[in-house]
C-alpha cells in the first residue's frame, strides 16, 4: 500500500451553481447551493485514500463551526488526522461559482495561514516513513519550503502542486521530485511570460514537470522531450477538484512508472469532474480501471 503524507489546506467550499458567471456589479439568481468539504490539501488526501493509499494529513482547522466537521470528514474517508492542528479563528473557506462545468473560486485561507514549519517538523517521523509527500500552495510559503527541506533531508520524494501559483526560487524547485502545474502556473512559477509555449517552459524548469491541460490530458518530462498523454472523454458537471484528483492519483500510481501514473491520473481526474463538488466524483480504483478499459487513449 502506498503511504503518503499530504501537507496542505482544508476549506469549507460554499458552492453556487448558476447558468453563467455574474458580471462585475451584477446580481444573478443561481440554481443551487451546496456546502461541501474541500481545500486542495484535503481534496488530495481524500482522493488518494479513495484510491487505496494510506494517507496522513498535516494541516490546520479553525475553532469555528466548520473546523471539527472538516476534520471528521477526512477521518471518515480513512485519512489519518493525528497531525491536523486546531488553531484559533476561522477555518479556510472557498466561495465557488460553477457555471457550465467551469468554476471561479475565491479562497480565504483562515486557519490554513496558521500552518507553520513547526507543524511539519513535529510530523517528521511520519514523513520519514512515507513513499511520497504531496504539498500545494494554499498554506504559507515558509511551510512549503520547510516541507521540501524536511522531506529532502529524509530522502522522501515531494510532489509539489504549485497551486495557486507564485514565483518560487529555483533552489526550492530542485528539491521537488516533480512539480505538477498547469501552463499558467508553470509560467508564474518560473517568472516567465504567460504566452511562452508550455513545452519550452517545461524544458526550462529546473526539475521534472507533469503539466496538466484539462480535457486535453497532460504532458510530462523527466528529461529530453515532453511526452503527451491524451485526456479521457467524459461529461463535465464540475471541474473543481480535477487537479487535486490528478495529483493524488499520480502520487498513488507513481510506483508503476511515470507514463502509467500520468495515464491513470488523467483517468481519475476525468472521473472526478462528472459530479458536483471537489470530492463528489473522486473515484475508487475499480472506476479508474473501468475507464482505462473503455477508452484506450
Ligand atoms: O482545487 C479545488 C479546491 O480549491 C477547492 O476545494 C477549494 O477549496 C480551493 O481550495
Amino acid at each position: 500500500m502506498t503511504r503518503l503524507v499530504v501537507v496542505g489546506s482544508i476549506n469549507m467550499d460554499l458552492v453556487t451553481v448558476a447558468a453563467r458567471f455574474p458580471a462585475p456589479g451584477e446580481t444573478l439568481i443561481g440554481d443551487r447551493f451546496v456546502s461541501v468539504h474541500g481545500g486542495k490539501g484535503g481534496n488530495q488526501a481524500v482522493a488518494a485514500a479513495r484510491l487505496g493509499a494510506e494517507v496522513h494529513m498535516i494541516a490546520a482547522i479553525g475553532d469555528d463551526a466548520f473546523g471539527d466537521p472538516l476534520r471528521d470528514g477526512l477521518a471518515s474517508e480513512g485519512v489519518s488526522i493525528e497531525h491536523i492542528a486546531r488553531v484559533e479563528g476561522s477555518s479556510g473557506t472557498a466561495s465557488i461559482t460553477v457555471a457550465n462545468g467551469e468554476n471561479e473560486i475565491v479562497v480565504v485561507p483562515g486557519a490554513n495561514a496558521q500552518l507553520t514549519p513547526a507543524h511539519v517538523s513535529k510530523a517528521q517521523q511520519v514523513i520519514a516513513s512515507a513513499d511520497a509527500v504531496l504539498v500545494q500552495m494554499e498554506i504559507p510559503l515558509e511551510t512549503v519550503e520547510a516541507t521540501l527541506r524536511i522531506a529532502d533531508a529524509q530522502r522522501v520524494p515531494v510532489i509539489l502542486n504549485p497551486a495557486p501559483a507564485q514565483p518560487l526560487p529555483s533552489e526550492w524547485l530542485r528539491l521537488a521530485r516533480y512539480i505538477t502545474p498547469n501552463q499558467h502556473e508553470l509560467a508564474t512559477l518560473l517568472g516567465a511570460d504567460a504566452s511562452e509555449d508550455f513545452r519550452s517552459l517545461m524544458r526550462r524548469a529546473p526539475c521534472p514537470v507533469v503539466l496538466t491541460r484539462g480535457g486535453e490530458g497532460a504532458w510530462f518530462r523527466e528529461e529530453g522531450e515532453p511526452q503527451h498523454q491524451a485526456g479521457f472523454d467524459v461529461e463535465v458537471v464540475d471541474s473543481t477538484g480535477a487537479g487535486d484528483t490528478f495529483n493524488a492519483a499520480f502520487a498513488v500510481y507513481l510506483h508503476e512508472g511515470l507514463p502509467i501514473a500520468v495515464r491513470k491520473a488523467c483517468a481519475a481526474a476525468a472521473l472526478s469532474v462528472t459530479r458536483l463538488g471537489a470530492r463528489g466524483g473522486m473515484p475508487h480504483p475499480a472506476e479508474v480501471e473501468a475507464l482505462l478499459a473503455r477508452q484506450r487513449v
Side-chain angles (χ1 to χ4, degrees):
M1 184 193 267
T2 306
R3 202 175 143 96
L4 297 177
V5 170
V6 180
V7 184
S9 59
I10 304 174
N11 295 332
M12 185 61 84
D13 288 356
L14 309 168
V15 185
T16 297
V17 182
R20 61 177 174 80
F21 296 111
E26 180 185 13
T27 299
L28 192 67
I29 304 294
D31 299 331
R32 194 175 164 197
F33 173 82
V34 288
S35 58
V36 291
H37 298 184
K40 294 187 193 307
N43 294 343
Q44 293 183 18
V46 168
R50 283 199 197 158
L51 290 171
E54 177 186 319
V55 185
H56 299 259
M57 173 120 210
I58 303 173
I61 49 161
D63 60 1
D64 58 352
F66 291 154
D68 289 347
L70 285 170
R71 188 198 48 211
D72 297 348
L74 289 165
S76 72
E77 294 275 358
V79 174
S80 164
I81 57 170
E82 197 188 326
H83 295 285
I84 297 183
R86 199 161 187 273
V87 299
E88 255 179 47
S90 310
S91 298
T93 55
S95 301
I96 303 180
T97 306
V98 175
N100 299 315
E102 300 290 323
N103 62 61
E104 283 184 349
I105 306 180
V106 179
V107 169
V108 178
N112 299 306
Q114 295 187 58
L115 186 72
T116 64
H119 289 117
V120 184
S121 256
K122 252 197 252 164
Q124 276 199 45
Q125 267 189 325
V126 78
I127 291 177
S129 62
D131 294 307
V133 172
L134 271 164
V135 61
Q136 325 74 32
M137 288 173 41
E138 282 184 339
I139 55 174
L141 282 190
E142 58 183 6
T143 309
V144 174
E145 181 189 8
T147 302
L148 286 161
R149 294 199 188 283
I150 288 169
D152 183 60
Q154 317 268 15
R155 299 274 173 271
V156 175
V158 177
I159 298 165
L160 168 62
N161 175 217
Q166 292 183 46
L168 288 187
S170 298
E171 190 224 336
W172 294 22
L173 298 180
R174 274 192 285 272
L175 293 173
R177 180 67 186 88
Y178 293 100
I179 54 171
T180 57
N182 60 28
Q183 178 172 0
H184 161 78
E185 288 161 352
L186 183 55
T188 306
L189 210 56
L190 301 179
D193 192 319
S195 63
E196 185 174 335
D197 178 71
F198 66 86
R199 281 158 289 226
S200 124
L201 288 170
M202 288 176 78
R203 282 185 216 103
R204 287 211 286 119
C207 60
V209 182
V210 179
L211 183 128
T212 54
R213 299 271 295 165
E216 289 171 30
W219 288 73
F220 53 99
R221 176 181 185 268
E222 189 97 47
E223 52 194 17
E225 281 308 296
Q227 310 288 306
H228 182 228
Q229 167 62 54
F232 291 79
D233 194 16
V234 290
E235 201 156 313
V236 182
V237 173
D238 178 7
S239 58
T240 313
D244 299 329
T245 308
F246 182 95
N247 274 275
F250 178 66
V252 169
Y253 294 115
L254 195 49
H255 66 96
E256 297 185 30
L258 182 59
I260 295 178
V262 173
R263 183 161 181 261
K264 291 191 171 183
C266 283
L271 289 162
S272 78
V273 305
T274 59
R275 297 216 181 99
L276 184 64
R279 302 180 190 174
M282 285 175 177
H284 292 272
E287 297 166 84
V288 175
E289 296 304 332
L291 181 59
L292 291 168
R294 259 197 331 270
Q295 290 184 35
R296 303 203 169 268
V297 296

